[in-house]
Amino acid sequence: MNIARLSIDKQILTWMIILTCLLGGIWGFTSIGRLEDPSFTIKQAVIVTQYPGASAAEVAEEVSEPLESAIQKMGELDTVTSINAPGASLIEVEIKSTYDGDALPEIWTDLRAKVRDAARALPEGVGTPVVDDGFGDVFGIYFAVTAEGLSNAGIHDLATFLRREILAVDGVADVQVSGLPDEVIYVEPDLLLAANQNISPGIIIEAIAGANSVQDAGSIGPTRLQRPDGSDSISQIEGLTVGVQGQVINVRDIAEVHRGLAEDPSLLVRYNGVAAFTLGVAGLSTENIVDVGARVDAKLAEIDPEIPVGVTLNPIYQQHVVVEEASNGFVVNVAMSVAIVIAVLAVAMGWRAAIVVGSTLVLTVLGTVLFMYLGAFSLERISLGALIIAMGMLVDNALVVAEGMQIAMQRGKTSREAADEAAGKTQIPLLGATVIGLMAFAGIGLSPDATGEFLFSLFAVIGISLMLSWALALTVTPLLGHYFFKRGGVGDADPYGGPLFRLYAGALRGALRWRWVVIPGLCAVTATCFMLFGSIKQQFFPDSSTPIFPVHYQLPQGTEIRTTSADLAVVEAWLLERDEVESVATFVGQGAGRFILTYSAEKANSSYGHMLVRTTDLESIPALAAELEAFAATALPAGTLRTRRLVFGPGGGDPIEVRFSGGDPAVLRALAEEAMDRINAASEVIQHVRTDWLEQELVIKPLYATDRAQTAGIERDDVASAMLFATDGVSGGVFREGDRQIPIVVRTSPDEGYTISDQVIFSESAGALVPLDQVVDGFAYEVQDTRIHRRDRLPTITVVGNIPADVTATDARNQIVETIEAMPLPVGYAMEWGGEYESSLDAQTSLAGQLPMSFLIMFAITVLLFMAMRQPLIIWLLVPMSVNGVVIGLLATGYPFSFTALLGLLSLSGMLIKNGIVLVEEIDIVRREGRALFAAIIEASTSRLRPVVLAAATTIMGMIPLLTDAFFKSMAVTIMGGLAFATVLTLIAAPVFYYVLFSGAERRAREAAATDESAAGDRGLAN
């Protein structure tokens, strides 16, 4: 007794399966976690080290090099890169993609230990390296908070209040606040008065630094003593006294003290032109982000009465809303797909078959959601896509069993006999074909790199759904067929005698007779399509469907942040006049926080500005972006404005990147200049070609007069401190205001009009002030690199470029490959490609390492199913030909062959192999019943016509809703075009190949039989 018959005989068991899938699926769908993107570990950490006063070259040599040398000893390391700027080193450590998230805590602990050990040997004056391994946290609920009318202190209090309240929300992991106004207390001595009183800036700094310090005061027995309260107001700082030569002088008598905004803040944020700060909320990875977002919204509504009037929380991005819309869209897509399946089946096989197969499909989807919930998977972009991909493959199993059972019952058999026959001869082939369909995705899902981690849920969900579809096809489908299918009479009309079947049988007979025309024709079409494949646009991951596009603005290196801010205000005003623009979030000095997984912010740089522009719809972005770039080119000629699109999936960097590495920065800059010239000459589509080192900056250096300075008791550090006092100011401690620490800066008043040469330096040995120009021999001017990049301990300069929206990175790179790779390189220097090419190559290399084993397993299964070689050969001969429909479809629509299209191609190969297995197995069964080869092929192929055509039709039509989805549209076209051609291959090419491979054996068998009959006749005559 097989499974199908048992499902009818033991109906209570089958109904338990049905109810489990139905009710459990509904429960699972309401309980399952929801995310925008699959959980994906950013295997990067950042190490920040301050080295005040050092040049970028000194930072690279004295800080980054020792730290990178220690880090490079880690066996888990993939690459180590650094950005070296005056006074600061920023090192990024990237771990090999083969390490999963569970291994990272131990790796980061090892990293901290190595950095801590290496830090002991760093030069004096270098700050303690800070390791940040939270680099990849995603703050998917992202607000810009405007607070017009509030004081700076009030804005800080508001941010503290909001962060405290939201952190208390269940499911919130972290709250990040950025862009708060940087306040400073400035103490600006009057140089003339200070000089007359012989008061050095150092004396004032010492007095201020100790005024509000925290110092242990000891204890008396069990009672603790506490320090006196410090200066907690501006007036008290002004009232501090300075002792000079036995006299006591108040600070207010020689200096002006005032509180204001920092003149050179690290970040400025605006929302629609209004000053703002950002509030980012990250949910726990184990939580449903939709529920977390709803709880955050509820908390904000609850505390709204406590928020001051004039404060507005403007959403820049709301991940929970996006995810909820995606989930609802998935339900609509599934409902549409099921409706399409039922409608097509109702027309082709009648309403009874439509209900049987449609019900099985719904139960399969619900059961898959149940097992996803039990397996701790979430509903996100990739798992939802996996369910949609699987829809076409899920129909096959139920359709084959239902069609076989319906035909058998039409011929007069009982439901049990029909189920026994239909499932008995197909359950093993269907199982093998289902496993093969799953193995087509194993190379991606089990890839040990970032792409494999990102797409693992694809493999897992397809595996769950396919295996469940096979199980339900052998249990639920027979039971529903038992209820709905009607038993016919023994003498009823031939179910395959309709006009469509007769037409197909006639066409197949013609193809078999003209096989030596059909086969070369198919080979010619396949060869042509393979050649045309090179004409298809290539793309790694498609652009995001979120109606947001980032804007990058770059002024010459060293530009002050206020100048950058003023330029972006011009861009804001232009954008806000456009009807298609909903909002503009502006970030001056660095990028935004990581609000989606695949977004990576630019590093801090005062000459850089960033905007996130939200539009009313996705379609308006290309035109708006082009007009914006044209406007900026005219209105802001000093800077470079470029727009980009958010991209799905891992990757990063600019579309076009070429790196040069070597020891001499001057040689690297020369190579980069030559590369930029070659790119501009070879390509008209690559835009904004530049280097990541940006422009060199002018540096002023005093010429230290050694003899005179040492005679006066003035050291080099004293000269540097004097220049710092005359410009940015010297740190004088902090002013404590609640939980805030406001820096106190002692400096020369910028309004007094003094130059650096007017400064005086206090000589400890002489006890007097010495003019700066007496200890220096003037000033020298140098041009220096102030942004030195290193990669794997070598100085590395990267030439980068952008491309228009209608051009793929592959096409653009192909225009410049020859000229760039023809560049002569000095000994010891190297060139390599980065950008999208590198990301795509890494993913494809990893995939190429996994696919051979997957396809080997798939081939082995087909051999084991038939225990022969010719049948598997027939099936696998069809696989390369499936590319034909893909090429035709992509060329016709103009869509690129992206990574999702590759998924569609793998899915297509699984469907094709599955149909081929069932067809070839049917031919073998008919031949075993004694039919001649030609007749067996016609009969078996005709019997498979309806399930093959219906499965293809339902799958193709089920992909229609995805044609409007930015992420899945290339995949949809790949499956639709490929499956349409694959159907012809299954119904025409497979029988033709079968006939060619087996006709010789049958002919020899007939000749042997004729010889035996002749010999037997001769023996009879002799007797």
Side-chain angles (χ1 to χ4, degrees), residues 795-846:
T796 303
I797 191 168
T798 305
V799 177
V800 300
N802 293 96
I803 54 177
D806 58 345
V807 177
T808 64
T810 301
D811 292 340
R813 179 182 169 274
N814 288 339
Q815 297 178 3
I816 63 171
V817 167
E818 185 176 352
T819 184
I820 293 297
E821 295 187 348
M823 285 180 57
L825 299 177
V827 176
Y829 289 78
M831 183 277 293
E832 61 180 351
W833 292 96
E836 186 172 310
Y837 170 79
E838 183 179 41
S839 301
S840 178
L841 182 64
D842 290 344
Q844 291 173 6
T845 301
S846 177

Side-chain angles (χ1 to χ4, degrees), residues 364 367-373 375 377 394 438 458-470:
T364 303
T368 301
V369 174
L370 170 61
F371 282 105
M372 285 175 61
Y373 173 70
F377 289 97
L394 300 183
L438 169 62
L458 178 91
F459 170 69
V461 171
I462 286 179
I464 293 170
S465 60
L466 288 183
M467 297 308 297
L468 188 60
S469 75
W470 177 80

Side-chain angles (χ1 to χ4, degrees), residues 585-652:
T586 303
F587 305 83
V588 189
Q590 64 188 61
R594 190 187 292 271
F595 60 95
I596 58 174
L597 184 66
T598 54
Y599 172 85
S600 182
E602 291 286 335
K603 306 298 185 295
N605 188 343
S606 63
S607 60
Y608 170 78
H610 183 66
M611 307 175 91
L612 293 174
V613 182
R614 178 178 284 275
T615 59
T616 54
D617 55 72
L618 200 64
E619 291 71 25
S620 61
I621 290 180
L624 176 63
E627 292 179 36
L628 174 59
E629 290 187 3
F631 165 77
T634 303
L636 304 170
T640 301
L641 184 143
R642 62 189 192 277
T643 60
R644 291 191 64 182
R645 292 290 300 275
L646 296 175
V647 177
F648 291 120

Side-chain angles (χ1 to χ4, degrees), residues 870-893:
R870 282 180 291 181
Q871 288 90 338
L873 180 60
I874 294 167
I875 295 166
W876 283 90
L877 282 172
L878 304 178
V879 174
M881 297 182 180
S882 63
V883 176
N884 299 350
V886 175
V887 172
I888 294 170
L890 292 177
L891 286 177
T893 59

